[in-house]
Amino acid sequence: MTEGWTYAKAGVNIDQKSSAIASLVKELNFKRNGKGTQVRMKNLFASLIEFGDDYLTLATDGVGTKLLIAEELGIWNTVGIDCIAMNVNDTICVGAEPMSFVDYIAIDKPNEEITEQIGIGLQKGAELSNMEIVGGEIAVLPEMVNGVDLSGTCLGYVPKNKVVTGQDCKEGDVIVTLRSSGIHSNGLTLARKVFESAGYGMKDKCPGLSGTVGEELLTPTRIYVKDVLDILSKYEVHGLVDITGGGLRNILRMKEGLQYVIDDPLEPAPVFKKIQELGNISDTEIYQTLNMSMGFDIIAPADVAEEIASSYDGAAVVGRVQKGNGVLLEKENILYDRY
């Protein structure tokens, strides 16, 4: 292949997605009166809602095209973990503790075996998050859905004096990352297209990967709730970033007027190296699409960052905060600026 794969070439254009979001949000102007009003603040991973001495939080997300791999392999008992993870990992980015969850399953026809297996994963994700699943919906939509779609919504809370917005980030802070479990539940459209174009089906073995391609890509998203809440209970933290769709660009949600420098990135897991190799993907593209093993970032004062990095599983110092703008992947001299 002479021309490398990009997310847009695989069918997902993040610029068009951003434009679509903006066109929707500009129409949402109604403001509630009384308790339960929204805190109007840009770039948060979870919405903040006024509720006395606390903020309530809401986050919603789905599993995406990882479900196509689950369908092809007939393995449904892990995608529920992904559904929980994609929501609770955003919830903790504002310092909130997940409390309750509702799931939504859209399916072309009822299938007890599939929904039971999805339930196993949802239950496991809830246990890992110390969160209760309080309800949900299964919609049978044969004229709209071909297969299964899975998403959910998380309710959390945070005392107002403990909220983390990223606006406290400052020059001299240090960036600590918590290692991901793999590709998580983002960028699977690109990953699938890359393997398929290289001649690998989801049930095939690929040199350098353990198990089949599909099994590697189905590795459940790591849930960071217990580690991050423990860190928040012990250390001063200025920013929290869930590295999901958009890769390192997610750090741009933190305070403007600063440059977030990744000068010692983690060695990417074999699955990322294989995707980049087979797809001839540039560093610029892959670090703004996949997490590259850096699944969740913590921005903290220098005097506590090293202790955080040495105290938690898969944690490491990967960068620093300085004057400037954007996110700089230093060794590759790649600068990601705001759209």
Side-chain angles (χ1 to χ4, degrees):
M1 178 187 298
T2 55
E3 182 183 353
W5 277 93
T6 65
Y7 209 9
K9 183 177 178 180
V12 181
N13 188 308
I14 57 177
D15 293 332
Q16 290 179 352
K17 175 184 174 181
S18 296
S19 297
I21 292 171
S23 70
L24 170 68
V25 171
K26 72 179 179 62
E27 300 299 327
L28 308 179
N29 299 313
F30 177 78
K31 296 182 180 180
R32 170 184 165 83
N33 293 317
K35 183 178 285 190
T37 57
Q38 179 188 358
V39 177
R40 300 278 170 169
M41 190 177 296
K42 294 191 303 181
N43 296 327
L44 298 180
F45 285 84
S47 299
L48 296 175
I49 302 164
E50 290 278 0
F51 205 76
D53 294 332
D54 299 324
Y55 291 125
L56 297 180
T57 65
L58 281 174
T60 190
D61 207 344
V63 179
T65 61
K66 200 169 194 174
L67 294 168
L68 296 177
I69 304 170
E71 182 176 31
E72 186 168 345
L73 297 186
I75 299 174
W76 293 97
N77 63 349
T78 60
V79 292
I81 300 174
D82 291 292
C83 186
I84 297 285
M86 298 305 293
N87 284 278
V88 298
N89 288 345
D90 277 357
T91 296
I92 58 178
C93 283
V94 293
E97 180 175 353
M99 293 188 298
S100 305
F101 190 84
V102 291
D103 61 86
Y104 176 81
I105 299 172
I107 194 167
D108 53 359
K109 57 184 177 182
N111 187 314
E112 293 180 15
E113 183 177 351
I114 290 176
T115 51
E116 178 183 25
Q117 291 298 303
I118 290 174
I120 290 171
L122 289 170
Q123 174 65 19
K124 181 63 175 178
E127 290 174 3
L128 292 170
S129 308
N130 188 31
M131 179 184 65
E132 190 169 355
I133 298 175
V134 298
E137 169 74 4
I138 295 179
V140 181
L141 306 170
E143 295 175 298
M144 294 177 62
V145 175
N146 180 22
V148 180
D149 192 22
L150 171 63
S151 60
T153 299
C154 175
L155 173 70
Y157 85 98
V158 57
K160 287 183 176 178
N161 63 348
K162 294 185 177 179
V163 69
V164 179
T165 65
Q167 296 308 300
D168 290 332
C169 294
K170 59 185 179 181
E171 183 183 10
D173 281 350
V174 171
I175 304 170
V176 178
T177 200
L178 300 178
R179 182 175 284 275
S180 70
S181 55
I183 200 169
H184 285 184
S185 203
N186 295 104
L188 271 299
T189 298
L190 175 63
R192 288 171 30 250
K193 295 290 177 64
V194 165
F195 280 112
E196 289 168 2
S197 67
Y200 294 100
M202 293 298 106
K203 296 179 180 179
D204 294 336
K205 293 269 193 175
C206 180
L209 301 184
S210 58
T212 67
V213 170
E215 288 167 345
E216 182 76 42
L217 297 181
L218 272 186
T219 301
T221 305
R222 179 177 173 183
I223 290 175
Y224 297 100
V225 172
K226 292 181 180 178
D227 281 343
V228 170
L229 292 183
D230 190 62
I231 289 168
L232 289 171
S233 72
K234 296 176 180 178
Y235 304 102
E236 179 183 354
V237 169
H238 293 161
L240 296 164
V241 184
D242 188 13
I243 306 297
T244 56
L248 291 181
R249 285 189 175 275
N250 283 280
I251 303 175
L252 295 171
R253 295 177 182 235
M254 299 294 99
K255 186 177 180 179
E256 295 187 29
L258 295 169
Q259 188 169 84
Y260 302 86
V261 182
I262 306 300
D263 55 12
D264 190 20
L266 292 185
E267 179 75 9
V271 65
F272 298 109
K273 294 181 179 180
K274 186 60 66 173
I275 291 168
Q276 186 170 20
E277 172 196 338
L278 294 177
N280 190 28
I281 303 172
S282 69
D283 287 333
T284 300
E285 180 70 17
I286 202 159
Y287 276 93
Q288 72 172 2
T289 305
L290 306 179
N291 68 65
M292 300 304 284
S293 289
M294 296 178 286
F296 194 98
D297 286 350
I298 300 153
I299 301 171
D303 60 352
V304 301
E306 290 287 354
E307 186 174 342
I308 293 173
S310 63
S311 301
Y312 294 87
D313 182 42
V317 171
V318 295
R320 65 189 192 278
V321 181
Q322 63 185 25
K323 290 181 180 179
N325 290 287
V327 177
L328 177 65
L329 190 59
E330 190 171 59
K331 292 179 181 177
E332 287 75 16
N333 195 30
I334 297 168
L335 178 66
Y336 298 106
D337 213 340
R338 289 170 170 79
Y339 293 111

